[in-house]
Amino acid sequence: MSAWLMTGSRSGDSPARPKVVVSRGIVRRAPARTGPTARRWGRAAVTVFGLCVLVTGLAPAAQADTVIATVPVGSFPQGVAITPDGAHAYVTNYGDASVSVIETAGNTVTDTVPVGTIPVAVAITPNGDYAYVTNSGVDNSVSVIETAGNTVIGAPIPVGDTPVAVAITPNGDYAYIANNSDNSVSVIDTATNTVIGAPIPVGDTPFAVAITPNGDYAYVTNNGGSTVSVIDTATNTVIGAPIPVGINPFAVAITPNGDRAYVTNLDNTVSVIDTATNTVTTTIPVGNTPSAVAITPDGARVYVTNRTGGTVSVIDTATNTVIGDPIPVGTNPYGVAITPNGDRAYVTNNLDNTVSVISIGSDCTGSLCSSGSSGSSGSSGSSGSSGSSGSSGSSWTGSFGS
């Protein structure tokens, strides 16, 4: 055991014995002391030794942006959304028609909710009461989960063909659903859980949708057209021409101040759209086959899952450059969501049937914690708090296919 100071005798021993002192790992024999001095020395030794136990007993802190837990979930997990109170993460399991509910305090699955076939995306209402899940199989529907009891309420809501993405307006009144196979967006009134109006035509094979923080616009990635459509939510019509981005755009997330939209592209890039002009201002190289994207609540960082690379890239929004090395996670990472306090990122690993929990800060209390650790091996640990789909400017919570 290492300590700054350790004594081998009690204060007040008479006659005083020579004491062994361990200082900075070097063993020395201290001179004998008697009387009041010996008592003062003994008390000091005990005090310092106690302090050393306190210091050396602390768990080592993990470096920022390292995996601190790996949580087993259902088959082929895709989308992920976190409740506004930070208590739970909801994960869609594409392969077994279910949603896993992770308690973020312990990073363990506490519930599994059956939904429709091939669930892809999930979004949670701003009040945290409901989770909306797109069922992209033959159902072509949206299931609504009441989060208090983790039960599906009502009948599935019919929408367009192959619904693969969902985003909820900041006031919680409407859910926007991207229908991949019929090039449209359906709008659900969350008060009645019915579709309102006709489907909104967008570009070719829409994959993702995100809504600006003021609720005025919905940005939709058109995977087949390599563009982004912008919907005016007041009229539910597309405004302006489609915005050209990279090849086969997947996901989109909007900064908390609403100034920029970040779009992942199959050509291993992220396009940055200035929402004031709806033009691309920057293109950022990232990892292989970028998929999901989420932005921290302070708008400082963007987290991008790289599917074929098995990693997560981190972009500094001040410079729009990738910082640090890619973070190793599981196999085929798809979805990503960031907790409302910005401390954790939850990443679904589609081929591992797991969720990796990344510590964004340097604090760490999970089972995988160690100084300088990284990667996603191991079992679930304890730590984490939470957020919701749409928090941190990100409302894309799933991607179609594998």
Side-chain angles (χ1 to χ4, degrees), residues 73 95-96 114 248 260 267 289 293 360:
V73 288
D96 59 17
N248 301 127
R260 286 175 283 179
D267 59 8
T289 323
V293 57
I360 292 176

Side-chain angles (χ1 to χ4, degrees), residues 73-76 93-99 112 114-116 119:
V73 288
S75 176
F76 298 112
N93 301 306
Y94 180 101
D96 59 17
S98 71
V99 172
T112 301
V115 289

Side-chain angles (χ1 to χ4, degrees), residues 68-72 106-109 355 357 366-368 377-383:
I68 60 170
T70 303
V71 187
N107 282 325
T108 55
V109 172
V355 171
V357 184
S367 65
L368 303 183
S377 60
S379 59
S380 61
S382 68
S383 76

Side-chain angles (χ1 to χ4, degrees), residues 34 51 58-59 83 99 123 175 214 247 251 257 282 302 321 329 346 400:
T34 58
L51 178 63
L58 291 175
T83 52
V99 172
N214 61 11
I247 297 172
N257 63 10
T282 307
V302 177
T321 56
V329 286
Y346 283 70
F400 183 66

Side-chain angles (χ1 to χ4, degrees), residues 9-19 30-35 38-39 41:
S9 66
R10 297 187 301 273
S11 61
D13 282 354
S14 181
R17 297 182 178 91
K19 304 169 185 64
R33 298 172 189 263
T34 58
R39 287 190 290 273
W41 174 265

Side-chain angles (χ1 to χ4, degrees), residues 136-137 140 160-164 178-185 202-207 400:
S136 66
N140 290 328
D161 193 358
T162 320
V164 295
N179 304 306
N180 182 262
S181 295
D182 63 11
N183 304 334
S184 72
V185 170
V202 288
D204 188 11
T205 56
F207 253 56
F400 183 66

Side-chain angles (χ1 to χ4, degrees), residues 174-278:
Y174 302 100
Y176 281 70
I177 313 296
N179 304 306
N180 182 262
S181 295
D182 63 11
N183 304 334
S184 72
V185 170
S186 299
V187 183
I188 296 173
D189 182 334
T190 59
T192 61
N193 280 334
T194 56
V195 172
I196 59 171
I200 305 166
V202 288
D204 188 11
T205 56
F207 253 56
V209 58
I211 298 173
T212 53
N214 61 11
D216 289 348
Y217 302 100
Y219 282 69
V220 180
T221 59
N222 303 308
N223 183 264
S226 296
T227 61
V228 171
S229 296
V230 182
I231 298 171
D232 183 334
T233 59
T235 60
N236 280 333
T237 55
V238 171
I239 59 171
I243 306 166
V245 287
I247 297 172
N248 301 127
F250 266 60
V252 56
I254 299 171
T255 53
N257 63 10
D259 287 351
R260 286 175 283 179
Y262 285 74
V263 177
T264 57
N265 307 302
L266 191 63
D267 59 8
N268 303 336
T269 65
V270 171
S271 298
V272 184
I273 298 172
D274 182 336
T275 58
T277 61
N278 281 334

